């Protein structure tokens, strides 16, 4: 049997591809060092950038530090899965990483790295040199090191990076903003970043949203409670969704997913289409720690995205999309209410009540126009308000009452019931008013309402509704014309009492309405007819 052996060898290019190229920009590389500090139970991390004289980066934490054996067995082992080895955390934190590749981020920043780490009574200092690593192709790399007494008994790690790959200056505010978006750590962990030892910028969970003027906020568990869609881990999703009054810049839109304090998916909205107006106003974060504990690793190496093709992640994505749909609906309702209140204040009009008081066949159309104005950011608030005012003039509350141009006496008698949509009672009250005015004006003693209309109206009768009218030249109309109008007033008045008032007074309204024998539309038509009769009565003079 052959003595030849199969073996696997790692070349230095592995580090180049997984470290130098993957972490070629500063914030993601610094994020890996910050995550290491968090895993080491640090409460504070200081990132010190220097671009005067020798350019360098120092990352210092107050964590547990590493012993010599931990440096050798853990830190210098590439690809080690800390969770599988069940290495315990002294502070009970769940490790943020598990691929064992984050330490390669060091070489994305600089070629020379000095690490000084202290734990209990010992301090270990060792140097990593990128060019020396390249020269050890096929061999184990042995960094130079020193071990000495930890004189101050303070634990922690200091990493100094020299021979930096970045040749330009450090935009520290941008770094702070970008780093803040990569983490969602608890309040007992704070990051500070400074340039040339000037006043440091504090980075915590509030930093990533400090420049956002929120309009509405939703606690995600509140949305879970009203979402009828089921999802096994729904109670483990924690976070907050924020919407703003004005559209967000594109780089601020979307919901970021975090697991155990670190970003695992860049901001997005998890739906098949993100073209909705809502997505220009929404941002926020969600903790989905449970996905970091799944047996299958679904998080990309650079922690920028989740593998959404996986069956478990696909189910999560669908659930998140359903929750955002609920938030979008609530957002539209709240914005509409807020905008209506603002318009109401400006134009002295309660927009919500106005729309509620419109006829059903008009209500949806007017509301659609109002919503369209609201969803058109190109229109100024003043323009929107003027448009609402003009629409209101065209379509006032109880539009049918206005559009039918009903006589003022009808409005006095019927408006209260009309507003309640009780059109049967509105008609009855209006016809009562008509009967009473006819009796008052004619001084009739006829006790029959229908009989009074026949006895008091008509040619030669007490109430003459056309007698005072002449042609424009002052001459009289044909006698038949006067007769027709006078007789018409009589028979129309008798008809509205006999054919409308009496049926409504004697039958159950429900039966009249449901049978369609006498509908609400008929009541409105009778009010229009009454309006004509009132106008004629107004013109009538008792015969001499």
């Amino acid at each position: 049997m052959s003595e030849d052996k199969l073996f696997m060898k790692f070349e230095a290019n592995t580090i180049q591809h997984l470290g130098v190229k993957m972490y070629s920009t500063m914030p993601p590389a610094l994020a890996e060092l910050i995550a290491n500090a968090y895993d080491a139970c640090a409460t504070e991390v200081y990132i010190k950038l220097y671009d005067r004289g020798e350019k360098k980066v120092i990352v210092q934490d107050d964590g547990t530090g590493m012993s010599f054996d931990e440096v050798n067995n853990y830190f210098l082992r590439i690809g080690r899965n800390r969770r599988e080895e069940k290495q315990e955390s002294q502070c009970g934190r769940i490790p943020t990483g598990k691929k064992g590749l984050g330490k390669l981020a060091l070489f994305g920043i600089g070629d020379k790295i000095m690490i000084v780490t202290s734990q209990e009574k010992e301090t270990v200092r060792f140097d990593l040199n990128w060019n020396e690593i390249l020269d050890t192709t096929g061999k184990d790399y042995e960094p130079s090191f020193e071990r000495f007494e930890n004189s101050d008994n303070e634990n922690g790690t200091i990493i100094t990076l020299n021979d930096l790959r970045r040749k330009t200056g450090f935009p520290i505010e941008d770094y702070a903003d970008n780093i803040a978006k990569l983490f969602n750590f608890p309040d007992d962990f704070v990051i500070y970043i400074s340039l040339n030892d000037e006043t440091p910028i504090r980075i915590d969970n509030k930093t990533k949203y400090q420049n956002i003027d929120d309009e509405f906020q939703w606690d995600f568990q509140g949305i879970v409670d009203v979402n009828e869609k089921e999802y096994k881990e729904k109670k483990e999703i924690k976070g907050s969704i924020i919407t703003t009054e004005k559209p967000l810049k594109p780089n601020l839109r979307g919901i970021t997913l975090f697991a155990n304090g670190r970003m695992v998916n860049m901001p997005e909205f998890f739906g098949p289409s993100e073209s909705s107006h809502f997505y220009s106003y929404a941002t926020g974060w969600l903790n989905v720690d449970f996905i970091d504990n799944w047996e299958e690793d679904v998080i990309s190496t650079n922690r920028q995205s989740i593998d959404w093709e996986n069956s478990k992640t696909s189910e999560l994505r669908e659930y998140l999309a359903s929750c955002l749909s609920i938030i979008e609906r609530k957002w539209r309702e709240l914005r509409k209410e807020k905008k209506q209140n603002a318009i109401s204040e400006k134009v002295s009009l309660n927009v919500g009540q106005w729309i509620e008081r419109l006829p059903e066949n008009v209500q949806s159309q007017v509301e659609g126009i109002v919503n369209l104005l609201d969803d058109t950011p190109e229109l100024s608030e003043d323009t929107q308000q003027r448009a609402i005012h003009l629409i209101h003039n065209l379509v006032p509350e109880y539009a049918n009452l206005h559009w039918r141009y009903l006589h003022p006496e009808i409005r006095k008698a019927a408006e209260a019931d009309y507003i309640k949509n009780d059109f049967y009672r509105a008609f009855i009250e209006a016809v009562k008013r008509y009967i009473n005015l006819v009796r008052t004006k004619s001084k009739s003693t006829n006790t029959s309402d229908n009989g009074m209309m026949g006895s008091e109206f008509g040619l030669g009768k007490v109430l003459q509704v056309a007698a005072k009218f002449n042609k424009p030249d002052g001459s009289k109309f044909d006698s038949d014309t006067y007769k027709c109008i006078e007789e018409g007033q009589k028979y129309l008045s008798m008809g509205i009492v006999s054919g409308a008032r009496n049926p409504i007074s004697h039958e159950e309204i429900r039966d009249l309405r449901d049978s369609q024998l006498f509908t609400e539309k008929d009541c409105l038509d009778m009010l229009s007819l009454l309006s004509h009769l009132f106008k004629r009565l107004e013109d009538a003079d008792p015969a001499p």
Side-chain angles (χ1 to χ4, degrees):
M1 181 181 294
S2 172
E3 296 296 328
D4 292 340
K5 296 181 180 179
L6 297 175
F7 61 91
M8 182 178 290
K9 183 185 298 182
F10 288 94
E11 301 290 340
N13 282 338
T14 303
I15 298 177
Q16 183 173 10
H17 288 293
L18 294 179
V20 177
K21 293 187 176 181
M22 185 177 294
Y23 300 99
S24 58
T25 57
M26 188 70 74
L30 292 174
E32 293 296 340
L33 305 183
I34 294 168
N36 288 345
Y38 177 82
D39 291 345
C41 298
T43 59
E44 295 181 334
V45 178
Y46 287 86
I47 302 170
K48 302 176 182 181
L49 308 174
Y50 298 89
D51 62 2
R52 295 174 184 168
E54 182 184 8
K55 188 174 292 186
K56 62 181 178 179
V57 175
I58 298 176
V59 180
Q60 180 176 357
D61 69 62
D62 62 353
T64 57
M66 294 178 285
S67 67
F68 182 84
D69 287 341
E70 286 174 336
V71 170
N72 211 28
N73 296 330
Y74 299 150
F75 187 84
L76 293 179
R77 281 177 57 198
I78 307 300
R80 163 184 160 266
N81 190 320
R82 177 173 181 171
R83 296 188 198 179
E84 286 186 356
E85 295 181 1
K86 302 189 184 306
Q87 181 184 353
E88 294 184 0
S89 168
Q90 294 184 17
C91 55
R93 290 176 180 171
I94 299 174
T96 61
K98 60 182 179 180
K99 294 179 173 64
L101 300 175
K103 58 183 71 72
L104 299 181
L106 296 166
F107 297 109
I109 300 176
D111 288 347
K112 292 182 179 180
I113 298 134
M114 181 179 71
I115 299 175
V116 179
T117 183
S118 301
Q119 187 180 94
E120 297 179 351
K121 296 180 180 181
E122 183 181 47
T123 295
V124 181
R125 186 193 69 79
F126 59 99
D127 298 303
L128 302 175
N129 187 299
W130 170 241
N131 293 316
E132 291 178 0
I133 292 175
L134 290 178
D135 291 338
T136 60
T137 300
K139 302 176 184 178
D140 289 337
Y141 173 63
E142 297 181 10
S144 60
F145 69 91
E146 290 182 90
R147 300 174 66 178
F148 45 89
E149 182 181 353
N150 180 16
S151 57
D152 57 14
N153 290 319
E154 291 185 0
N155 297 340
T157 299
I158 303 174
I159 300 176
T160 303
L161 301 103
N162 292 295
D163 282 3
L164 302 188
R165 299 179 184 277
R166 183 181 179 89
K167 303 305 179 185
T168 57
F170 299 119
I172 186 171
E173 289 82 7
D174 290 345
Y175 287 176
D177 184 58
N178 288 328
I179 289 171
K181 293 175 182 177
L182 298 175
F183 293 102
N184 201 38
F185 285 139
D187 294 337
D188 62 355
F189 183 76
V190 182
I191 305 161
Y192 296 91
I193 185 169
S194 65
L195 179 61
N196 300 319
D197 292 325
E198 295 176 357
T199 303
I201 298 174
R202 177 188 172 107
I203 305 173
D204 55 25
N205 285 339
K206 298 177 183 178
T207 304
K208 51 182 167 286
Y209 300 117
Q210 64 183 0
N211 294 322
I212 292 178
D213 295 324
D214 63 291
E215 184 177 30
F216 307 114
Q217 285 198 36
W218 288 270
D219 177 76
F220 195 79
Q221 279 299 305
I223 302 302
V224 167
D225 291 340
V226 299
N227 191 350
E228 296 180 356
K229 185 177 178 64
E230 286 299 321
Y231 180 66
K232 182 179 179 181
E233 283 94 359
K234 64 181 182 180
K235 291 297 183 181
E236 297 183 46
I237 307 174
K238 314 291 183 181
S240 180
I241 309 300
I242 302 168
T243 57
T244 55
E245 186 172 0
K246 297 180 179 179
L248 289 161
K249 294 180 180 179
N251 66 329
L252 295 176
R253 301 170 186 174
I255 313 304
T256 308
L257 298 186
F258 295 88
N260 296 313
R262 290 194 65 186
M263 184 178 77
V264 293
N265 197 76
M266 295 181 68
E268 64 165 292
F269 293 104
F270 317 107
S273 172
E274 297 182 3
S275 60
S276 169
H277 189 56
F278 164 71
Y279 296 124
S280 297
Y281 296 81
T283 187
W285 57 272
L286 295 175
N287 286 331
V288 289
D289 296 350
F290 55 89
I291 71 169
D292 219 359
N293 301 323
W294 287 344
E295 183 176 348
E296 184 176 357
D297 190 356
V298 297
I299 304 170
S300 65
T301 301
N302 63 0
R303 304 183 74 87
Q304 300 290 297
S305 62
I306 290 174
D307 175 14
W308 294 115
E309 298 303 318
N310 180 283
S311 59
K312 295 178 73 172
T313 58
S314 178
E315 186 179 0
L316 170 63
R317 186 184 182 93
E318 290 178 5
Y319 184 74
L320 295 179
S322 69
C323 289
L324 286 180
S325 294
I326 294 173
I327 293 175
E328 179 180 1
R329 185 176 68 251
K330 291 180 176 293
W331 172 78
R332 291 186 181 280
E333 292 171 353
L334 288 172
R335 273 180 64 90
K336 181 174 71 174
E337 180 181 354
K338 182 178 179 181
K339 182 60 67 71
Q340 288 180 352
N341 290 339
I343 295 173
S344 299
E345 184 176 345
K346 290 286 186 180
V347 300
S348 300
L349 169 66
N350 189 317
V351 176
Q353 289 185 7
W354 163 46
I355 293 175
E356 287 178 3
R357 292 170 176 173
L358 296 177
E360 289 185 9
N361 63 322
V362 177
Q363 189 177 89
S364 61
Q365 299 177 62
V366 171
E367 188 171 19
I369 295 173
V370 172
N371 290 340
L372 182 61
L373 291 171
D374 179 37
D375 290 341
T376 307
E378 295 81 5
L379 295 179
S380 68
E381 186 173 321
D382 286 342
T383 300
Q384 291 177 338
Q385 290 165 0
R386 288 199 302 271
I388 294 295
H389 186 72
L390 292 171
I391 297 169
H392 176 255
N393 287 340
L394 290 172
V395 192
E397 294 93 338
Y398 313 110
N400 281 333
L401 185 66
H402 297 275
W403 288 345
R404 287 175 177 264
Y405 301 103
L406 299 178
H407 192 277
E409 290 294 339
I410 292 181
R411 294 191 188 183
K412 292 177 185 177
E415 187 167 16
D417 294 304
Y418 195 103
I419 288 173
K420 298 175 185 176
N421 291 325
D422 189 347
F423 301 118
Y424 289 94
R425 182 174 174 81
F427 167 69
I428 289 295
E429 291 300 305
V431 80
K432 283 181 184 176
R433 173 71 58 99
Y434 180 67
I435 292 170
N436 290 336
L437 287 179
V438 169
R439 180 168 280 112
T440 298
K441 200 163 190 176
S442 66
K443 298 182 174 57
S444 176
T445 58
N446 194 328
T447 57
S448 167
D449 295 337
N450 195 50
M452 178 182 65
M453 298 302 170
S455 65
E456 306 304 328
F457 287 115
L459 191 64
K461 298 298 179 66
V462 175
L463 296 177
Q464 299 289 305
V465 299
K468 70 178 183 180
F469 291 94
N470 298 315
K471 291 182 179 182
D473 62 4
S475 62
K476 292 290 186 180
F477 288 96
D478 187 90
S479 60
D480 283 342
T481 299
Y482 290 109
K483 178 180 179 182
C484 289
I485 291 177
E486 298 292 355
E487 295 298 303
Q489 181 76 8
K490 175 176 70 175
Y491 290 121
L492 287 174
S493 298
M494 293 174 65
I496 205 166
V497 172
S498 178
R501 197 282 305 268
N502 290 349
I504 294 176
S505 298
H506 298 144
E507 296 289 348
E508 289 189 32
I509 289 175
R510 182 183 60 183
D511 291 340
L512 292 172
R513 180 182 59 241
D514 293 349
S515 68
Q516 300 291 297
L517 176 60
F518 207 105
T519 65
E520 291 179 333
K521 172 70 165 49
D522 293 324
C523 290
L524 293 173
D525 291 340
M526 290 301 106
L527 286 173
S528 294
L529 176 56
L530 264 179
S531 186
H532 169 75
L533 296 176
F534 266 111
K535 190 267 179 189
R536 289 291 189 201
L537 178 63
E538 190 177 69
D539 294 332
D541 291 322

